[in-house]
Amino acid sequence: DAGVIQSPRHEVTEMGQEVTLRCKPISGHNSLFWYRQTMMRGLELLIYFNNNVPIDDSGMPEDRFSAKMPNASFSTLKIQPSEPRDSAVYFCASSRSWGVDEKLFFGSGTQLSVL
Amino acid sequence: AQKVTQAQTEISVVEKEDVTLDCVYETRDTTYYLFWYKQPPSGELVFLIRRNSFDEQNEISGRYSWNFQKSTSSFNFTITASQVVDSAVYFCALIQGGSEKLVFGKGTKLTVNP
């Protein structure tokens, strides 16, 4: 299994630009999560999907952030317009629906720098 | 509300020392799951262990061991005979039963010096 695949690994952009982060979950997993990691706030859950439906987006910081999951094998996290304070590592994770033995599998993350 | 506290921000040890990473959690649920993840310098998050609230048995996996105590709401992680490759940030995390929201502690950065 290829694991959770995120792209790009690194993104450098200028303030005001649109940024799109991409994620391919593990095949067969039907829950997908977007996390953000910063020094100040640690790992924060932004949003998660179950069977492609957004379940909880209470962690999305503001309207500049949006996430979609058009099908079971693809999700995007978009920031428009981006700001320097959005600089962070963004992780995507997936799991099967929660059960006795489940755990989250994480992608390698996207390091975002907004100048 | 659920919360995970890792009071140790950074720990530095010399190779072959034993080291314990502390984790204290808060939850109102009687059913919950606890995790430890490792984040090496390369940045990925690696699953180490999952434990459910009904299983207080301690677990040992090679040099790693975990001590789960509901009475003190703690789930501590011990590395025996530490090695340089153990240098990483270690995260404790909690998920309440019926939820899919995994809540992480702030992490403990472990540095093992040769």
Side-chain angles (χ1 to χ4, degrees):
Chain A
D1 200 324
V4 177
I5 299 173
Q6 290 186 248
S7 65
R9 284 300 307 273
H10 303 275
E11 176 80 33
V12 180
T13 191
E14 292 188 347
M15 183 173 65
Q17 296 297 306
E18 177 179 296
V19 175
T20 299
L21 311 182
R22 297 172 176 79
C23 176
K24 177 179 167 55
I26 293 173
S27 178
H29 283 190
N30 47 19
S31 291
L32 183 140
F33 305 78
W34 283 100
Y35 280 85
R36 177 171 70 175
Q37 184 178 30
T38 60
M39 288 294 292
M40 289 295 292
R41 300 173 69 92
L43 275 158
E44 306 171 274
L45 177 63
L46 300 177
I47 185 172
Y48 78 92
F49 296 82
N50 186 263
N51 292 322
N52 312 338
V53 176
I55 302 300
D56 187 337
D57 64 355
S58 59
M60 296 286 261
E62 47 198 277
D63 292 346
R64 298 184 297 107
F65 285 69
S66 62
K68 293 182 179 179
M69 191 164 186
N71 57 60
S73 59
F74 184 65
S75 177
T76 59
L77 178 67
K78 186 178 292 187
I79 309 172
Q80 167 61 23
S82 58
E83 296 182 3
R85 61 194 167 114
D86 302 330
S87 297
V89 180
Y90 291 81
F91 285 100
C92 177
S94 71
S95 71
R96 288 186 291 249
S97 283
W98 206 252
V100 174
D101 202 31
E102 281 315 311
K103 57 185 178 281
L104 289 189
F105 294 83
F106 283 83
S108 298
T110 295
Q111 173 79 59
L112 173 65
S113 298
V114 183
L115 306 177
Chain B
Q2 55 193 58
K3 184 180 176 182
V4 176
T5 301
Q6 294 180 256
Q8 304 150 309
T9 307
E10 293 193 40
I11 299 176
S12 183
V13 300
V14 177
E15 212 169 14
K16 297 185 183 175
E17 281 186 37
D18 298 347
V19 58
T20 295
L21 310 181
D22 297 334
C23 173
V24 173
Y25 62 91
E26 294 176 31
T27 178
R28 284 192 283 258
D29 277 13
T30 56
T31 301
Y32 52 89
Y33 305 89
L34 296 162
F35 299 78
W36 277 94
Y37 278 83
K38 173 182 180 180
Q39 187 175 40
S42 51
E44 73 272 24
L45 283 153
V46 179
F47 168 83
L48 295 179
I49 190 172
R50 165 186 165 133
R51 173 66 76 230
N52 75 54
S53 54
F54 299 109
D55 181 3
E56 282 194 78
Q57 274 193 330
N58 293 328
E59 179 149 343
I60 298 174
S61 177
R63 296 184 297 106
Y64 294 173
S65 62
W66 290 269
N67 180 263
F68 176 28
Q69 291 198 332
K70 288 177 76 169
S71 60
T72 55
S73 297
S74 64
F75 186 44
N76 297 336
F77 173 31
T78 297
I79 302 175
T80 303
S82 60
Q83 299 176 2
V84 173
V85 293
D86 295 327
S87 296
V89 180
Y90 291 86
F91 292 94
C92 182
L94 164 73
I95 191 166
Q96 294 180 160
S99 168
E100 291 196 76
K101 296 177 70 169
L102 188 61
V103 174
F104 285 85
K106 291 291 178 69
T108 296
K109 182 179 181 181
L110 173 66
T111 302
V112 181
N113 298 298

